[in-house]
Amino acid sequence: MKMKKISVLWASLFSLALVGSVLAARGLEGRGGVGRIADDSLYLPSATFLRYASLGYRTVLADLMWIRATQYFGGQLEVRKAAPEKHRFLYPLLDLTVSLDPHFIGAYRFGGLLLTVVKRYEQAVAFYEKGYAANPGDWENPHDLGRLYYLELKDNEKALHWWKIANDLPGRPDYIPRFVPLLYLETGQREIAVELWLEMYRSTDNEWLRGVIRGRLEKLGVEIQ
Amino acid sequence: MSKISAITLNTFKEAVRDRILYAILAFAIAMIGSTFILATIGVGSGPKIIRDIGLGFISIFGTLIAVFIGIGLVHKEIDRRTIYTIVSKPIHRFQFILGKYLGLILTLFVNVTIMTWALMGLIFIGEGFWDFRLLAASGMILLELMVVTGIAVLFSAFSTPALSAIFTLSFFAIGRLLDDLRLFGEHYAGPVGRAVIRTFYYLLPNLGRFNVSAEVVHGVPLGEVVSGVTILYGSLYVVALLALTSLIFQNRDFR
């Protein structure tokens, strides 16, 4: 009986202390203090330091940094004012991610897209170019860079340059070969565009694609023999 | 051979009776399961994150098991004075060391296998297929753990568990950074410094060589990831460590 009483006493004390600590934690929320900073992204470690500190678990740290970058992006969306410093740590966080794992294609793709969404085009270009330099055999970075130049920066010459590169890489999407002649046309290189479409028309037995090419060539006044 | 296998099985039984082992294993599996949560906030990189962090946990928890069981492997026998019974039997001391070592390796093999299948099961639930490539990564993790265990057993033969743990973890950290150390030496050290660093580079265990998880996750062909030379290197290093341990243990006086 005595043992039971002691157990009940300990259980009650535990419950009270736990509830008290939860209430205290709630009270601490939002309170500042020495060492507390508004944005911990201000104190990002360098990639070199993290490479050593990771003891070889670099890709694990890269994943954690990637999650941190996406959370930072989400957090900044709540900042209403379009101040110049908004999203300023997005690029450093993304750069840190790919410095730890240079083959993290998903981070280049989505990270570049995030930079594009927040209209940090120069950084997006630099980020994609870094991705291409580290992964010259992957079509994703030149493809996304071409899309950025074409859709956002309206620079068809550069879009063509990057899509030509993507077009030659294995695994690229089927629509890239169709876009390349279109870009030749838009950059005033009509002869090359016609030649490429004709070549594509002859080499495919896909009726839908043939119809698309036929339509394009007819608009240019070219007859298919 | 039967003497070694008897010690091996006994060490294995002793290890699996240890509650710490179950605690570490349960925690490891829980952590591997938690990668699922991280993957959901990883925006488009979920599969990579599950594999990276899952393999990271297998390596980290495997190392913890290797170190914290390995450091007490020989010392425990001395502390409990059971070593006197063993050395008085017709058994060579190297057989005792080898049996102890193999017993712990068997324990690690079982644990790494459980953790790997837990990770593969998680991927199967999420993606609908068994990613057998992970077996290559965990095989190399096991090879690394064999070297780490060898280091732990070496220190366990002549030092206290606390010091052995510090020494083994230090060797683990140095072994993981050895390639960077060499790179650093080549860039910043003078001719003498470079020679010293190169000597340490070849003498210390280069554990980074066994870390192929990133390559496996990024889809590098397995033929390029798992090399025969790496396996040979790991095996020879283990032999060297066990030989040194036997030498030290042979010369210890247990009267």
Side-chain angles (χ1 to χ4, degrees):
Chain A
M1 196 63 186
K2 194 183 173 187
M3 284 293 283
K4 202 176 177 183
K5 266 187 185 172
I6 291 171
S7 300
V8 170
L9 193 71
W10 281 122
S12 308
L13 186 64
F14 166 74
S15 309
L16 277 174
L18 190 68
V19 170
S21 71
V22 169
L23 290 173
R26 283 177 66 95
L28 284 171
E29 266 177 33
R31 279 199 193 183
V34 176
R36 295 284 299 270
I37 49 168
D39 187 351
D40 57 3
S41 302
L42 283 165
Y43 297 95
L44 286 177
S46 76
T48 312
F49 167 75
L50 279 183
R51 268 204 297 269
Y52 293 129
S54 68
L55 289 179
Y57 299 105
R58 289 175 191 176
T59 54
V60 176
L61 267 192
D63 294 340
L64 297 177
M65 208 49 75
W66 168 240
I67 291 168
R68 178 81 191 83
T70 54
Q71 284 180 330
Y72 173 79
F73 176 79
Q76 289 289 293
L77 289 178
E78 289 170 10
V79 179
R80 285 187 189 165
K81 199 177 158 193
E85 65 266 20
K86 193 176 174 183
H87 298 292
R88 67 174 160 161
F89 294 113
L90 183 58
Y91 182 77
L93 280 164
L94 292 170
D95 192 51
L96 206 51
T97 305
V98 296
S99 298
L100 288 165
D101 186 357
H103 307 298
F104 195 166
I105 297 294
Y108 290 114
R109 297 210 79 184
F110 288 97
L113 202 59
L114 296 181
L115 289 166
T116 306
V117 166
V118 300
K119 301 192 188 313
R120 289 184 174 262
Y121 299 126
E122 274 183 33
Q123 290 179 339
V125 168
F127 193 58
Y128 284 132
E129 283 181 349
K130 191 170 184 169
Y132 175 62
N135 306 278
D138 290 309
W139 61 268
E140 287 90 342
N141 284 301
H143 167 273
D144 293 355
L145 205 42
R147 187 194 57 211
L148 174 64
Y149 275 119
Y150 184 70
L151 292 177
E152 308 295 337
L153 301 173
K154 312 291 180 196
D155 187 338
N156 291 347
E157 294 275 350
K158 284 188 175 157
L160 175 63
H161 167 75
W162 287 106
W163 271 349
K164 269 163 55 186
I165 292 173
N167 194 31
D168 293 335
L169 292 169
R172 52 111 179 98
D174 292 337
Y175 57 79
I176 293 186
R178 295 204 302 277
F179 270 100
V180 171
L182 199 66
L183 276 171
Y184 269 114
L185 192 66
E186 288 188 17
T187 52
Q189 301 175 79
R190 183 180 178 277
E191 295 303 310
I192 301 173
V194 169
E195 193 59 42
L196 283 172
W197 267 320
L198 281 172
E199 176 57 34
M200 211 186 299
Y201 185 85
R202 288 184 202 113
S203 62
T204 184
D205 49 8
N206 183 320
E207 278 310 313
W208 175 81
L209 185 58
R210 282 180 158 227
V212 170
I213 296 168
R214 199 181 299 117
R216 298 257 182 224
L217 290 171
E218 276 171 8
K219 271 189 189 169
L220 294 173
V222 178
E223 267 187 42
I224 299 170
Q225 313 244 317
Chain B
M1 196 64 194
S2 63
K3 288 172 189 168
I4 295 171
S5 58
I7 297 170
T8 299
L9 284 175
N10 203 47
T11 308
F12 176 70
K13 281 178 191 167
E14 199 181 342
V16 295
R17 278 192 214 116
D18 202 331
R19 283 184 193 170
I20 289 175
L21 185 76
Y22 291 104
I24 294 175
L25 188 62
F27 194 64
I29 291 172
M31 294 300 276
I32 289 168
S34 74
T35 58
F36 193 70
I37 300 163
L38 285 176
T40 52
I41 53 172
V43 197
S45 302
K48 176 193 181 290
I49 290 174
I50 289 180
R51 286 165 177 79
D52 268 341
I53 301 183
L55 287 170
F57 280 136
I58 292 172
S59 167
I60 290 166
F61 286 104
T63 305
L64 288 179
I65 295 171
V67 172
F68 289 104
I69 296 183
I71 53 167
L73 219 55
V74 179
H75 188 270
K76 211 188 275 179
E77 303 287 348
I78 300 167
D79 199 41
R80 287 180 190 161
R81 299 180 190 283
T82 42
I83 192 76
Y84 298 103
T85 327
I86 297 164
V87 292
S88 63
K89 297 252 186 318
I91 180 171
H92 293 290
R93 291 193 183 183
F94 82 88
Q95 290 176 316
F96 171 74
I97 293 293
L98 192 59
K100 281 277 172 192
Y101 174 80
L102 291 176
L104 182 49
I105 295 303
L106 186 61
T107 314
L108 282 167
F109 173 76
V110 172
N111 280 284
V112 168
T113 305
I114 292 170
M115 289 192 278
T116 305
W117 281 97
L119 177 62
M120 284 168 63
L122 189 73
I123 291 166
F124 180 76
I125 293 166
E127 298 171 34
F129 73 97
W130 292 101
D131 190 352
F132 290 109
R133 286 173 54 85
L134 295 181
L135 291 174
S138 64
M140 294 304 273
I141 289 172
L142 189 67
L143 191 58
E144 182 184 15
L145 294 179
M146 285 170 71
V147 176
V148 175
T149 307
I151 297 166
V153 174
L154 169 68
F155 288 119
S156 174
F158 66 88
S159 185
T160 62
L163 283 176
S164 298
I166 294 167
F167 292 149
T168 310
L169 288 172
S170 304
F171 266 74
F172 175 76
I174 294 165
R176 279 289 184 122
L177 294 172
L178 217 49
D179 281 327
D180 294 315
L181 187 72
R182 187 181 179 183
L183 207 64
F184 177 80
E186 279 170 6
H187 280 97
Y188 302 108
V192 179
R194 269 204 296 273
V196 171
I197 287 173
R198 205 175 299 131
T199 308
F200 279 113
Y201 177 79
Y202 287 116
L203 284 178
L204 293 169
N206 193 343
L207 301 176
R209 295 281 163 205
F210 308 115
N211 186 11
V212 297
S213 302
E215 285 81 356
V216 169
V217 173
H218 285 306
V220 175
L222 289 181
E224 292 173 30
V225 172
V226 183
S227 91
V229 182
T230 312
I231 296 169
L232 182 71
Y233 169 70
S235 309
L236 288 174
Y237 208 94
V238 167
V239 171
L241 284 169
L242 291 178
L244 185 59
T245 309
S246 301
L247 179 71
I248 292 166
F249 198 62
Q250 191 70 42
N251 291 299
R252 282 202 68 169
D253 192 1
F254 290 116
R255 275 179 293 175

